[in-house]
Amino acid sequence: MLGESTSGEGSKSSWKVLIMDKVTVKVMSHSCKMADITDQGVSLVEDIFRRRQPLPSMDVIYFIQPTKENIVMFLSDMSGREPLYKKAFVFFSSPVSKDFINNIKSDISVLPRIGALREMNLEYFPVDSQAFITDHDSALVELYSEEAENTPYFEICLYTMASRLATVFASMKEFPYVRYRAPREQDGSPAATRSLIPFKLAEILWKCLEKYKSIPNYPQTETCDLLILDRSVDQIAPVIHEWTYDAMCHDLLNMDGNKYVVELPGKHGGPPVEKEVILDDNDPVWLELRHAHIADASERLHDKMTTFKSKNKAANINRDGELSTRELQKIVQALPQYNETVEKLTLHVEIAGTINECIRDMRLRDIGQLEQDIVFGDAAAKDVINLLRSLQDASTENKLRLLMIYAIVYPEKFEGDKATKLMQLAKLTPEDMKAINNMKYLGGSPQSKKSSSGFSLKFDGGQKTKHAARKDRTGEEEETWQLFRFYPMLEELLENLNKGQLPKDEYACMNEPAKDSKSQRSTNSTAPNGRRPAHSMRSRRTPAWARGHCSDDGYSSDSVLKNVVPDFRRMGQRIFVFVIGGATRSELRACHKLTAKLRREVILGSTSFDDPPQYISKLQLLSEKDILKTPPKPHNWS
């Protein structure tokens, strides 16, 4: 896109201006760095709605949404006798209506000054190598609050979401089988309307995709799978404590997106120094450890630091002995790389140390153990009561999260005055309890004993004597760490989709594949052999609370991720999964894990990525009256 130019590459006359709007600035910031933009010959980046200096000798690139306001501004810039720029290359982030195109072409002063007029179809926001969002942070409230369907937000949110999701497939040249969670109720009630949301999104998306078939080189037959879910499919995943390094960073630390300010010890005994770090795919240490159990990550960081220092010449200078000129030269040459590596490792050691302090101070091991015992049917009311009594000083958030999980697995325990007694024992306020009561808006009700309720997320495969929300898969996977048994519902659904075993009455398809297509789509979807990766037998210093029940070395069940082949082209067809209402860190981890396990790249999309405090705050808003007042401006969906 940025390479378009009317002048010779590298000459001063080839420098261009890049103009964007609020949304496309976000798209660009999620996709590349400023240095990447300047490398393409852009010398100036401007906001389309800001007053701008005329640069009539320079070409301009517009990367904008196809809205009426943007078209008006573009025509204003380039029309008349003295346009702001020499030549305009216009790229729209999503499909533009014929009316807008005709409007542009009808301006005879602008038309000769247009060098390109194209649909980029790029209106989503990458947050990971295998994850993106449509940037609908308030989707849960706009679609699932008590009177959401009666507000203008409802339809606008769905249409904009579908339009942005469609650009994912247009830009990646993929045409999916569109599966969605089928409505659970069809009685015309508000609950039934909310259960229709995945179908409504699938329906709007399908219309967008059919229009994309006219794009050059866009596939005319299905090339991948898409599964559309909503947050009701798994209400435990957003609130349970997830024990990976990634999840713990976002759950326990005061992070701003992927940015964190870490306090490092001062040099030579000086005061502590604050440093902002970005935890993303550009950090090799983060990339290796993000999905590891926090205890495993901490230990491996310690080992890395110890090994690096012992092997690096710059760390082992014999200050009392004499060094030859050659030895001194090697040390000096090693110092820049040495300092950079030590600094990177030190940052992560400090971050992991802070997390471990939080775990100890908040007694999260006890809370996390009970959470998982509840989910797998190994704990009952007395265990919850005993923990609440023994942890009087536990944070409101942690007690609330525990009770939310308990309410999902044991909805009958919240009937009558039982909820009030638990609230009093946990010292929670009625405002806090809204998070529990409002889970009914996502499906089911804590007052319902029906096993089919969307509130109580049960599997049929568990032991009949247990009241469990998950079946224990410890025996099916590699040996795992303690407190690492939990897996999101999304993981099992995607495995069933890969096998062609999703129940059609629960997960319908807009374009049902032919009966003989299952084997074709599953080609290369399983690993070449069924063997588990070998475990290292080196000695471990893992604390007892984190050590796996059957593991010698404690590597997590997704240690196979270290062997992922980055060339996804050698894998089977992609699987996309989209979660309406916010995705979780555990679901992102599951997608990375399944990519290796199924030999198919699994890409997670959502309206947003929510850490537990954010999710709980949104839940508490669902029962608020008049929470949605002023409707947003509708996007162009033509």
Side-chain angles (χ1 to χ4, degrees):
M1 178 183 89
L2 299 177
E4 297 270 3
S5 176
T6 58
S7 307
E9 189 66 24
S11 66
K12 289 185 179 180
S13 60
S14 70
W15 286 106
K16 299 170 284 290
V17 180
L18 173 62
I19 294 177
M20 296 181 283
D21 58 34
K22 186 177 180 181
V23 169
T24 54
V25 162
K26 265 190 167 184
V27 172
M28 195 67 79
S29 65
H30 277 77
S31 306
C32 61
K33 297 179 180 178
M34 191 63 198
D36 300 319
I37 297 174
T38 55
D39 285 346
Q40 296 297 318
V42 171
S43 61
L44 184 63
V45 177
E46 296 268 31
D47 183 330
I48 193 169
F49 290 108
R50 291 250 178 116
R51 190 178 185 89
R52 286 168 274 123
Q53 176 187 357
L55 296 167
S57 64
M58 294 181 71
D59 291 340
V60 61
I61 297 169
Y62 287 85
F63 178 39
I64 54 177
Q65 286 187 292
T67 62
K68 182 179 180 180
E69 294 84 356
N70 284 347
I71 301 296
V72 169
M73 289 300 296
F74 160 67
L75 292 175
S76 174
D77 289 348
M78 297 303 298
S79 63
R81 291 185 179 180
E82 297 181 356
L84 293 187
Y85 310 102
K86 182 180 177 183
K87 199 134 189 138
F89 298 82
V90 186
F91 299 89
F92 294 109
S93 59
S94 56
V96 58
S97 73
K98 290 180 180 179
D99 289 343
F100 286 165
I101 294 294
N102 292 334
N103 195 14
I104 292 171
K105 289 182 176 180
S106 65
D107 193 322
I108 57 174
S109 66
V110 171
L111 200 56
R113 296 165 182 162
I114 297 177
L117 191 64
R118 300 176 189 169
E119 293 176 355
M120 277 295 293
N121 293 312
L122 195 66
E123 203 171 296
Y124 57 93
F125 310 86
V127 293
D128 179 270
S129 60
Q130 290 175 229
F132 67 91
I133 58 172
T134 58
D135 198 31
H136 289 91
D137 193 57
S138 57
L140 199 70
V141 176
E142 292 177 3
L143 298 176
Y144 292 92
S145 58
E146 189 169 0
E147 298 180 357
E149 64 274 14
N150 298 322
T151 71
Y153 282 91
F154 190 82
E155 294 292 332
I156 290 172
C157 182
L158 276 175
Y159 272 92
T160 311
M161 191 190 308
S163 175
R164 291 182 179 175
L165 180 55
T167 68
V168 174
F169 297 100
S171 63
M172 298 180 76
K173 294 292 189 291
E174 294 274 18
F175 183 51
Y177 287 103
V178 181
R179 293 180 175 82
Y180 57 92
R181 194 179 190 207
R184 299 173 295 288
E185 303 170 52
Q186 298 183 12
D187 56 6
S189 64
T193 301
R194 289 189 285 270
S195 75
L196 276 167
I197 289 173
F199 163 70
K200 288 184 175 183
L201 178 61
E203 189 176 41
I204 302 167
L205 173 66
W206 180 249
K207 291 177 182 177
C208 294
L209 293 174
E210 285 192 312
K211 291 180 182 178
Y212 280 142
K213 284 192 173 184
S214 61
I215 297 176
N217 302 320
Y218 189 73
Q220 302 299 301
T221 57
E222 289 79 0
T223 61
C224 64
D225 288 297
L226 166 66
L227 179 61
I228 297 175
L229 307 171
D230 63 1
R231 195 60 271 166
S232 68
V233 77
D234 187 351
Q235 295 194 59
I236 296 175
V239 294
I240 195 169
H241 284 90
E242 167 78 355
W243 289 81
T244 62
Y245 185 38
D246 177 11
M248 283 284 174
C249 282
H250 286 87
D251 192 353
L252 302 181
L253 305 181
N254 185 25
M255 291 189 66
D256 178 14
N258 59 359
K259 296 177 183 177
Y260 177 62
V261 177
V262 61
E263 190 175 272
L264 300 172
K267 295 180 180 179
H268 310 297
V273 178
E274 289 189 346
K275 181 177 178 63
E276 182 181 271
V277 294
I278 298 177
L279 304 177
D280 62 10
D281 291 359
N282 295 312
D283 181 342
V285 179
W286 172 258
L287 205 58
E288 178 185 346
L289 299 179
R290 59 181 173 174
H291 297 311
H293 190 289
I294 181 61
D296 184 23
S298 301
E299 183 176 324
R300 283 156 66 180
L301 281 168
H302 181 274
D303 288 349
K304 283 177 181 293
M305 183 70 88
T306 303
T307 302
F308 181 78
K309 286 185 174 181
S310 66
K311 290 183 177 180
N312 197 286
K313 291 182 179 294
N316 295 288
I317 299 175
N318 182 4
R319 299 186 183 279
D320 297 327
E322 292 187 9
L323 295 171
S324 68
T325 304
R326 191 165 189 171
E327 287 174 326
L328 188 59
Q329 185 180 18
K330 287 183 178 179
I331 290 170
V332 171
Q333 289 173 345
L335 276 174
Q337 184 182 359
Y338 169 80
N339 289 334
E340 183 181 345
T341 304
V342 167
E343 182 181 15
K344 183 69 70 177
L345 288 172
T346 301
L347 286 171
H348 284 281
V349 167
E350 289 293 326
I351 293 171
T354 302
I355 291 173
N356 283 313
E357 286 178 13
C358 292
I359 291 171
R360 287 192 297 271
D361 295 345
M362 300 166 73
R363 291 184 61 181
L364 285 187
R365 301 170 196 173
D366 296 330
I367 295 171
Q369 185 66 62
L370 182 54
E371 287 176 348
Q372 302 219 8
D373 286 346
I374 292 170
V375 169
F376 288 98
D378 297 327
K382 64 178 182 179
D383 301 296
V384 175
I385 292 169
N386 288 341
L387 186 71
L388 290 175
R389 284 174 175 166
S390 64
L391 291 180
Q392 291 287 325
D393 57 345
S395 70
T396 297
E397 179 195 314
N398 284 335
K399 288 186 286 188
L400 180 57
R401 288 166 68 173
L402 178 66
L403 287 185
M404 289 173 75
I405 295 168
Y406 186 54
I408 292 166
V409 182
Y410 295 93
E412 70 276 5
K413 301 295 184 182
F414 281 74
E415 292 179 339
D417 63 347
K418 294 177 183 176
T420 304
K421 290 180 179 178
L422 284 170
M423 180 184 78
Q424 292 171 345
L425 180 61
K427 296 181 180 177
L428 298 177
T429 66
E431 186 68 24
D432 296 328
M433 293 296 284
K434 280 183 180 180
I436 295 176
N437 298 328
N438 288 354
M439 287 192 287
K440 65 188 176 186
Y441 294 114
L442 298 182
S445 165
Q447 281 73 39
S448 171
K449 286 187 178 182
K450 296 178 182 178
S451 61
S452 61
S453 164
F455 186 89
S456 185
L457 308 175
K458 302 181 181 66
F459 279 85
D460 295 328
Q463 299 178 19
K464 297 298 182 183
T465 55
K466 285 188 176 184
H467 200 50
R470 294 288 188 281
K471 62 181 181 182
D472 197 334
R473 303 175 69 184
T474 305
E476 301 173 19
E477 304 278 339
E478 297 176 61
E479 294 83 357
T480 67
W481 294 79
Q482 188 179 351
L483 300 182
F484 220 19
R485 297 162 66 196
F486 176 79
Y487 59 92
M489 177 75 165
L490 175 146
E491 184 174 327
E492 184 156 304
L493 291 175
L494 292 181
E495 287 179 335
N496 288 337
L497 183 151
N498 180 66
K499 293 184 242 180
Q501 295 177 359
L502 276 182
K504 290 184 181 179
D505 58 333
E506 296 179 31
Y507 298 93
C509 186
M510 294 294 295
N511 45 333
E512 189 64 45
K515 291 183 180 179
D516 61 347
S517 64
K518 186 182 103 174
S519 59
Q520 181 183 353
R521 289 182 295 107
S522 297
T523 303
N524 298 326
S525 62
T526 54
N529 59 65
R531 298 178 186 174
R532 295 173 182 170
H535 283 274
S536 165
M537 298 303 291
R538 64 187 176 88
S539 63
R540 309 290 287 181
R541 299 180 303 281
T542 310
W545 67 268
R547 189 174 295 122
H549 297 293
C550 310
S551 175
D552 290 318
D553 72 348
Y555 273 120
S556 66
S557 61
D558 57 341
S559 60
V560 69
L561 283 173
K562 292 194 286 284
N563 302 317
V564 170
V565 179
D567 188 358
F568 293 120
R569 291 172 296 181
R570 298 181 183 179
M571 296 186 171
Q573 294 182 347
R574 286 185 175 112
I575 298 176
F576 293 82
V577 56
F578 188 81
V579 183
I580 305 168
T584 71
R585 300 286 157 185
S586 62
E587 288 164 340
L588 177 57
R589 174 172 67 91
C591 290
H592 281 276
K593 172 183 174 181
L594 290 174
T595 294
K597 183 177 180 180
L598 306 179
R599 301 297 299 163
R600 298 177 68 181
E601 185 183 11
V602 182
I603 297 177
L604 174 63
S606 184
T607 47
S608 60
F609 265 84
D610 293 335
D611 301 318
Q614 296 170 308
Y615 177 72
I616 291 171
S617 297
K618 292 177 182 180
L619 270 182
Q620 290 171 331
L621 291 174
L622 296 187
S623 57
E624 294 295 320
K625 302 291 184 182
D626 301 322
I627 190 67
L628 304 172
K629 292 182 179 179
T630 306
K633 293 180 180 178
H635 186 65
N636 170 56
W637 306 310
S638 300

